[in-house]
Amino acid sequence: MNLSKREFMQVLGAGTMAGLGMGTYAEADAATAAQGLYDIPKFGNVSFLHMTDCHAQLKPIYFREPNVNLGIGSMKGNLPHLVGEHLLKVAKVRPGTAEAHALTYLDFEKAAKRYGKVGGFAHLATLVKRMKASRPGALLLDGGDTWQGSATSLWTNAQDMVDACKLLGVDVMTGHWEFTYGMERVKEIVEKDFAGKIDFVAQNVKTNDFGDQVFKPYVIREINGVPCAIIGQAFPYTPIANPRYMVADWAFGIQDENMQAMVNEARGKGAQVVVVISHNGMDVDLKMASRVSGIDAIMGGHTHDGMPVASIVSNKGGKTIVTNAGSNSKFLGVLDFEVKDKKVTDFRYKLLPVFSNMLPADREMDALINKIRSPYESKLNEVLGVTEGTLYRRGNFNGTGDQLLLDALLDVQGADIAFSPGFRWGTSLLPGQALTREWLMDMTATTYSYATVSQMSGATIKTVLEDVCDNLFNPDPYYQQGGDMVRVGGLSYSCNPLESMGKRIYDMRLNGKLIEADKSYKVAGWAPVAEEARNAGNKQVWDVVETWLKARGGKISARKLNMPKVDGVLPNPGYAAL
């Protein structure tokens, strides 16, 4: 992409959420606010719509954005590592507005009650149709993590999301959690359900034996007479972050060199626009953009960063736009290109929040969702308790939703210490809301959610924490895996993200006493990646937690968050203490 300095400054200034100041709409009713949010002028002659990480959330939800998203080293103070007021300042969004609520944790309970739920495929479908109508030929790209994250996706073996995405009009997608349904199921969906409808692309997934491409690396689609290549980048660390046995025959990885080869090949076939739909995580996308030339834009996912402003990365071939469209069907990214003389000359980018009370439900999608959910409604809606505090997951170190899981594991499993994975998917509940089986499944639904109890030495506990911490805070993004820190119950500890591997975790204590390296401790956890876990006969974690919830007498008190002491990095615009 070639832009002059003047053009670059113009488009950078134009890349706000809705392309106009929202002061007029800050106090407006839903209909007027919707007009301000969603009436986006058409620009250029090539458009892409982008959704990612919906995690199978078909219905509108509440979702609290993190107050901790630390950036260290060169990442400090830069997108995506800004929270609260710092993010609003860069986005040029006024506090207290609908956009401010969509982007940040600020005044979450108050704003959630005011602006209502977000996402929902019926409301997203309305917005997609609206954008496609105003942008003829626009393609809808799905960044993956679509088939996992809810009870119905688990119980239907992902069929609910496959059918919903076909109806939504997804054109091209890549994957990550999709692979946890196993190789055979993924291939079945791609080759049967998606045939002639949705292209599943991944340049970095190859067979272990001969190195053949498992999926198409890219597709070339024509938009208003302009040949456009969409290259897929699946999550590089799938066999490490998830059970290896689920993708036993496939190799993953970042594969920069092959990405460059695919860009060159697509350009050689006449592509005038090259877009990568990525599940790398945003920090990895930013590094890739600096190393691979010829990409006009990387539209990313995995790290759930709702980015209201496009990042512009220089490389030897020019500049590459990097965006990320959040999670939970809460946002729709809109990227418009102006293509002249066979190259991109200008662009506009918008991140549109999906507010369910500002967008009417699409009737056809609503009917499909009701049909999908109908056999399971009574089970989904069973009340397991009422929460007295806000429950959420997102944040580098812990969230109250995971704290609830930890408290249940400690109690029911009789453990000294409990671990909960640093997953970023999951939905939020407000004080006074019913805690249903559906919410519990939103927080735990994977194909390997076995609850475990094991004996671990103090040295092993430290090794586990150090390993996950390095995945999160390694100064080289290519060694990050994009999740959050393992959540810890029962154990207190200190963390210095700036230290080197093996030195970030210290002062580990249980009931005030230092953890002893050679002493054994009873540790509860869930979602083990080891293959033997699936044959061990362990209960599913939701069954363990349900037992605990039902013993609370209907009321679930506000959770006391177990947070580590964070050293060496504060103050930081990616950390807001509460």
Side-chain angles (χ1 to χ4, degrees), residues 4 7 63 67 119 153 224 277 390 444 449-450 457 499 503 505 513 577:
S4 69
E7 291 170 330
F63 184 78
N67 62 293
S153 64
N224 299 320
I277 183 169
T390 298
T444 58
S449 292
Y450 313 107
S457 69
E499 282 287 359
K503 298 180 180 179
I505 305 297
K513 296 182 179 180

Side-chain angles (χ1 to χ4, degrees), residues 357-369:
N357 65 352
M358 296 184 190
L359 291 163
D362 177 78
R363 289 185 180 181
E364 193 176 4
M365 183 65 77
D366 200 43
L368 175 63
I369 294 170

Side-chain angles (χ1 to χ4, degrees), residues 11 80 97 195 212 228 255 259 275 293 309 413 457 532 538 540:
V11 297
T97 59
D212 297 327
C228 301
Q255 301 190 31
M259 175 64 79
V275 169
S293 60
V309 177
Q413 305 285 66
S457 69
E532 55 267 22
N538 294 330
Q540 300 287 350

Side-chain angles (χ1 to χ4, degrees), residues 23-101:
T24 306
Y25 302 98
E27 304 299 328
D29 60 27
T32 307
Q35 182 178 356
L37 278 171
Y38 304 124
D39 283 354
I40 309 302
K42 180 182 182 295
F43 177 82
N45 52 343
V46 169
S47 295
F48 296 96
L49 311 179
H50 179 221
M51 57 172 274
T52 191
D53 296 271
C54 75
H55 284 287
Q57 293 302 322
L58 289 173
K59 298 288 284 185
I61 58 161
Y62 292 112
F63 184 78
R64 180 190 182 276
E65 296 292 337
N67 62 293
V68 181
N69 189 358
L70 276 172
I72 63 170
S74 63
M75 292 168 272
K76 180 180 178 180
N78 294 315
L79 295 173
H81 301 288
L82 300 172
V83 299
E85 294 90 344
H86 299 286
L87 179 57
L88 296 184
K89 184 177 180 180
V90 169
K92 299 179 182 178
V93 170
R94 278 182 50 193
T97 59
E99 298 96 320
H101 173 51

Side-chain angles (χ1 to χ4, degrees), residues 360-469:
D362 177 78
R363 289 185 180 181
E364 193 176 4
M365 183 65 77
D366 200 43
L368 175 63
I369 294 170
N370 288 336
K371 180 181 177 182
I372 288 168
R373 292 173 59 89
S374 179
Y376 311 106
E377 282 290 359
S378 60
K379 192 173 180 181
L380 292 169
N381 294 330
E382 183 179 347
V383 176
L384 305 176
V386 176
T387 179
E388 296 181 341
T390 298
L391 295 175
Y392 64 90
R393 170 165 274 165
R394 275 302 310 274
N396 282 162
F397 295 104
N398 205 353
T400 51
D402 273 309
Q403 189 66 57
L404 183 149
L405 302 183
L406 293 166
D407 293 344
L409 287 170
L410 286 169
D411 193 7
V412 177
Q413 305 285 66
D416 303 311
I417 297 167
F419 289 154
S420 186
F423 296 144
R424 292 190 171 188
W425 44 269
T427 61
S428 303
L429 289 181
L430 301 179
Q433 275 196 285
L435 195 161
T436 61
R437 179 174 283 107
E438 179 164 25
W439 180 84
L440 178 57
M441 295 300 291
D442 285 348
M443 298 291 287
T444 58
T446 82
T447 54
Y448 58 100
S449 292
Y450 313 107
T452 61
V453 180
S454 58
Q455 294 295 135
M456 286 189 186
S457 69
T460 300
I461 291 169
K462 176 174 166 59
T463 298
V464 169
L465 294 176
E466 289 280 3
D467 185 55
V468 180
C469 199

Side-chain angles (χ1 to χ4, degrees), residues 236-513:
Y237 297 110
T238 298
I240 301 171
N242 306 105
R244 181 79 181 98
Y245 61 84
M246 293 177 172
V247 287
D249 298 339
W250 298 346
F252 290 73
I254 295 173
Q255 301 190 31
D256 273 353
E257 291 184 2
N258 196 60
M259 175 64 79
Q260 186 67 71
M262 293 301 97
V263 173
N264 296 344
E265 183 179 300
R267 292 283 185 188
K269 290 182 178 179
Q272 298 173 21
V273 177
V274 175
V275 169
V276 172
I277 183 169
S278 165
H279 206 87
N280 278 333
M282 189 163 174
D283 287 333
V284 179
D285 285 337
L286 291 167
K287 181 173 179 177
M288 175 175 277
S290 73
R291 292 167 59 92
V292 180
S293 60
I295 300 172
D296 293 300
I298 300 177
M299 306 185 80
H302 182 58
T303 41
H304 295 196
D305 302 307
M307 290 294 96
V309 177
S311 296
I312 313 295
V313 180
S314 297
N315 51 58
K316 65 180 181 181
K319 292 182 174 68
T320 297
I321 302 162
V322 178
T323 69
N324 197 292
S327 66
N328 292 82
S329 65
K330 182 180 177 181
F331 295 106
L332 182 70
V334 182
L335 182 59
D336 296 328
F337 286 117
E338 183 177 69
V339 182
K340 293 181 179 179
D341 299 323
K342 299 183 178 181
K343 64 182 181 181
V344 172
T345 58
D346 205 349
F347 80 97
R348 297 288 186 273
Y349 166 69
K350 315 288 188 297
L351 184 69
L352 303 179
V354 179
F355 285 104
S356 60
N357 65 352
M358 296 184 190
L359 291 163
D362 177 78
R363 289 185 180 181
E364 193 176 4
M365 183 65 77
D366 200 43
L368 175 63
I369 294 170
N370 288 336
K371 180 181 177 182
I372 288 168
R373 292 173 59 89
S374 179
Y376 311 106
E377 282 290 359
S378 60
K379 192 173 180 181
L380 292 169
N381 294 330
E382 183 179 347
V383 176
L384 305 176
V386 176
T387 179
E388 296 181 341
T390 298
L391 295 175
Y392 64 90
R393 170 165 274 165
R394 275 302 310 274
N396 282 162
F397 295 104
N398 205 353
T400 51
D402 273 309
Q403 189 66 57
L404 183 149
L405 302 183
L406 293 166
D407 293 344
L409 287 170
L410 286 169
D411 193 7
V412 177
Q413 305 285 66
D416 303 311
I417 297 167
F419 289 154
S420 186
F423 296 144
R424 292 190 171 188
W425 44 269
T427 61
S428 303
L429 289 181
L430 301 179
Q433 275 196 285
L435 195 161
T436 61
R437 179 174 283 107
E438 179 164 25
W439 180 84
L440 178 57
M441 295 300 291
D442 285 348
M443 298 291 287
T444 58
T446 82
T447 54
Y448 58 100
S449 292
Y450 313 107
T452 61
V453 180
S454 58
Q455 294 295 135
M456 286 189 186
S457 69
T460 300
I461 291 169
K462 176 174 166 59
T463 298
V464 169
L465 294 176
E466 289 280 3
D467 185 55
V468 180
C469 199
D470 191 62
N471 290 339
L472 181 59
F473 295 121
N474 193 297
D476 185 344
Y478 275 21
Y479 290 93
Q480 297 174 7
Q481 294 180 18
D484 282 316
M485 189 65 186
V486 61
R487 282 71 166 99
V488 182
L491 177 79
S492 66
Y493 69 97
S494 294
C495 174
N496 186 337
L498 296 181
E499 282 287 359
S500 58
M501 177 67 171
K503 298 180 180 179
R504 294 189 180 99
I505 305 297
Y506 50 95
D507 196 28
M508 300 187 304
R509 294 176 181 269
L510 182 63
N511 300 321
K513 296 182 179 180

